[in-house]
């Protein structure tokens, strides 16, 4: 099978260890083990000492009871029998979409979104119809347009809530309307919910796993939980036959997740209130910094993100986004993600939660501003010439 290059990941692979300001980072400021246990009010040394005595077996193939219980606590109606642990949300999306999609299938996927949600179905031979989200609608799903794209043979609808890269957040009512579209054609509703705990209101955000029997949700310990380094995610699926198929596929490329990662993940979710309070504070404070900065830049515009940690910021300079972002990191050390990675020209994805201290974000944004002044100077010189 052939698959398109994964544009955003290849961009990050190239630059994220070579920049001064990682304004492309999409995780809330990452935690160390010491940070995690301080937040949880427990002893890291005791925990690590207990881990050091464990035999390094495969562990619980279908997930440790403690980790599964922690995941279930994030939903209203999900039990351990509905959860399949994976290597991150990337592993979860690959597992789900490669299991559900094949030649002859019809898939509807929102765009812009994380590229896995449309490129994996294409790799598997499915026909993919794109539902292009409109900034005039704040990048929310237009249910009438979604219905128009669906067919009697549509097998999968892919959405992302909150949306990456735009930060659009679908309400419970909007999710219920999307569920009705999926139900009307008998489609699976796949929702990447990796940013779900993060929204502007700081409230519980509904999951489609609790709204629809044929919903399949993916998430991870990375974005909201600041623990990307443990590479731990999950699938939530209430359909017994599909869960069996997911586990069968998983046997070929995963077998089980790391027992060490699951132990850390279980501890984090056992103390989820402290972690999510921290992440929501970071997002709230830094979003205000981002919006003030955009308001002060006459050549930039953005639809204010309602959830997650990312925003899609547009510029009006006559410059390709790869050129803009490459020169930016080379000349000012600030890394952002080209909008063309999401098929959105003349824009950049900014990750605004990468620093727990808003001053860290301000420094990165000031570097972007300096580059904007450079571009404007070059354009003015070109006009005069």
């Amino acid at each position: 099978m052939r698959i398109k290059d994964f544009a955003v990941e290849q961009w990050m692979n190239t630059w994220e260890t070579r920049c001064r300001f990682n304004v492309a980072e999409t995780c809330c400021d990452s935690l160390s083990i010491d940070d995690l246990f301080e937040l949880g009010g427990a002893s890291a040394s005791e925990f690590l000492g207990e881990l050091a005595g464990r035999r390094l077996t495969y562990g619980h193939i279908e997930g440790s009871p403690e980790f599964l219980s922690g995941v279930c606590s994030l939903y209203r109606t999900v039990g351990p029998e509905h959860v399949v642990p994976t290597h991150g949300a990337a592993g979860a999306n690959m597992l789900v979409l490669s299991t559900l999609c094949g030649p002859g299938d019809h898939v509807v996927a929102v765009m812009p979104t994380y590229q896995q949600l449309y490129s994996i179905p294409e790799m598997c031979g499915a026909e993919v119809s794109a539902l292009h989200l409109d900034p005039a609608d704040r990048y929310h799903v237009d249910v009438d347009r979604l219905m128009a794209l669906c067919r009697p043979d549509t097998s999968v609808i892919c959405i992302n809530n909150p949306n990456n890269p735009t930060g659009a957040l679908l309400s419970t009512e909007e999710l219920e309307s999307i569920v009705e579209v999926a139900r009307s054609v008998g489609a699976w509703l796949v929702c990447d919910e990796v940013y779900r705990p993060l929204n502007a209101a700081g409230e519980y955000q509904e999951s489609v796993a609790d709204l629809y029997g044929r919903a399949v949700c993916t998430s991870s310990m990375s974005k909201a939980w600041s623990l990307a380094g443990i590479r731990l995610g999950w699938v939530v699926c209430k359909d017994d036959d599909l869960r069996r198929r997911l586990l069968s596929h998983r046997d070929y490329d995963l077998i089980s997740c790391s027992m060490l990662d699951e132990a850390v993940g279980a501890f984090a979710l056992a103390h989820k209130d402290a972690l999510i309070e921290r992440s929501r504070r970071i997002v709230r404070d830094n979003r205000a910094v981002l919006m003030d900065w955009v308001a002060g830049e006459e050549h930039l515009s953005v639809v204010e993100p309602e959830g997650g940690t990312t925003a899609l910021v547009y510029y009006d300079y006559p410059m390709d986004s790869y050129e803009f972002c490459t020169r930016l990191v080379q000349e000012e050390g600030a890394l952002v993600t080209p909008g063309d990675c999401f098929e959105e020209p003349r824009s950049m994805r900014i990750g605004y939660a990468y620093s727990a201290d808003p001053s860290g974000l301000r420094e990165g944004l000031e570097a972007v501003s300096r580059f904007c002044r450079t571009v404007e100077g070059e354009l003015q010189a070109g006009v005069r010439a």
Side-chain angles (χ1 to χ4, degrees):
M1 292 186 289
R2 295 173 181 260
I3 193 168
K4 291 179 181 176
D5 287 343
F6 201 161
V8 66
E9 297 302 335
Q10 291 189 356
W11 172 262
M12 295 297 290
N13 293 347
T14 300
W15 291 108
E16 66 181 333
T17 60
R18 300 164 59 191
C19 63
R20 290 176 55 209
F21 310 105
N22 191 351
V23 201
E25 174 60 68
T26 56
C27 298
C28 283
D29 187 36
S30 295
L31 294 166
S32 67
I33 291 289
D34 285 339
D35 294 334
L36 173 62
F37 278 81
E38 182 178 349
L39 281 168
S43 168
S45 60
E46 288 182 16
F47 176 85
L48 295 173
E50 191 277 329
L51 279 185
R54 290 193 192 182
R55 294 178 60 243
L56 296 178
T57 68
Y58 286 103
H60 292 83
I61 299 299
E62 295 184 8
S64 75
E66 297 81 8
F67 178 65
L68 296 178
S69 175
V71 171
C72 293
S73 73
L74 305 176
Y75 303 86
R76 298 188 192 276
T77 61
V78 170
E81 69 277 12
H82 304 140
V83 181
V84 178
T86 61
H87 285 172
N93 288 333
M94 174 61 88
L95 175 64
V96 167
L97 294 170
S98 62
T99 301
L100 286 178
C101 301
D105 288 330
H106 179 241
V107 175
V108 177
V110 298
M111 288 182 68
T113 190
Y114 198 53
Q115 188 179 336
Q116 283 189 307
L117 299 188
Y118 52 92
S119 286
I120 293 174
E122 288 175 343
M123 174 195 74
C124 294
E127 177 189 352
V128 179
S129 297
L131 175 62
H132 292 279
L133 304 177
D134 189 343
D137 294 330
R138 302 187 63 81
Y139 302 105
H140 283 229
V141 172
D142 184 314
V143 175
D144 292 334
R145 290 176 53 225
L146 173 62
M147 188 71 242
L149 285 175
C150 288
R151 310 187 311 221
D153 65 341
T154 298
S155 57
V156 178
I157 297 171
C158 294
I159 62 174
N160 177 203
N161 194 45
N163 179 267
N164 173 14
T166 68
L169 181 68
L170 300 171
S171 68
T172 299
E173 293 73 19
E174 288 173 310
L175 292 174
E176 288 172 339
S177 296
I178 294 168
V179 163
E180 287 308 308
V181 173
R183 184 178 283 119
S184 73
V185 294
W188 296 100
L189 178 58
V190 175
C191 187
D192 181 332
E193 296 180 341
V194 73
Y195 298 97
R196 176 175 151 248
L198 303 176
N199 57 68
E203 299 173 346
Y204 178 85
Q205 173 63 36
E206 202 69 60
S207 168
V208 294
D210 294 317
L211 300 177
Y212 182 40
R214 288 172 68 84
V216 188
C217 300
T218 60
S219 193
S220 82
M221 298 302 302
S222 298
K223 309 303 182 182
W225 307 103
S226 305
L227 295 171
I230 65 174
R231 304 310 308 132
L232 188 58
W234 61 87
V235 178
V236 171
C237 167
K238 290 186 175 179
D239 184 273
D240 290 340
D241 180 64
L242 179 57
R243 182 174 184 274
R244 182 198 62 77
R245 290 166 57 200
L246 292 171
L247 288 169
S248 178
H249 279 236
R250 199 183 76 140
D251 286 340
Y252 279 93
D253 64 6
L254 181 61
I255 301 179
S256 66
C257 293
S258 162
M259 61 188 296
L260 305 181
D261 291 345
E262 288 191 351
V264 176
F267 178 88
L269 293 177
H271 299 85
K272 62 181 183 295
D273 291 344
L275 269 70
I276 210 62
E277 180 182 352
R278 170 187 181 270
S279 293
R280 286 174 174 169
R281 174 186 57 76
I282 293 170
V283 166
R284 181 181 62 250
D285 293 349
N286 285 11
R287 182 190 294 113
V289 170
L290 172 73
M291 296 307 296
D292 286 346
W293 173 74
V294 173
E297 290 286 342
E298 66 173 310
H299 294 280
L300 304 184
S301 62
V302 67
V303 174
E304 183 171 3
E306 302 158 312
T309 66
T310 64
L312 191 61
V313 177
Y314 290 83
Y315 57 82
D316 63 9
Y317 308 122
M319 184 181 294
D320 169 87
S321 70
Y322 273 102
E323 179 186 357
F324 183 94
C325 295
T326 300
R327 285 191 55 193
L328 169 61
V329 69
Q330 289 176 334
E331 296 176 27
E332 294 291 346
L335 178 65
V336 298
T337 305
D340 281 303
C341 290
F342 301 93
E343 302 188 31
E344 291 289 324
R346 293 193 185 180
S347 68
M348 52 183 157
R349 185 188 71 178
I350 287 181
Y352 57 86
Y354 76 96
S355 172
D357 183 345
S359 65
L361 175 62
R362 289 192 185 94
E363 289 181 353
L365 296 178
E366 287 167 2
V368 181
S369 290
R370 287 194 297 272
F371 180 67
C372 289
R373 303 293 85 77
T374 297
V375 172
E376 290 158 15
E378 291 172 351
L379 292 172
Q380 291 172 358
V383 169
R384 287 196 297 269

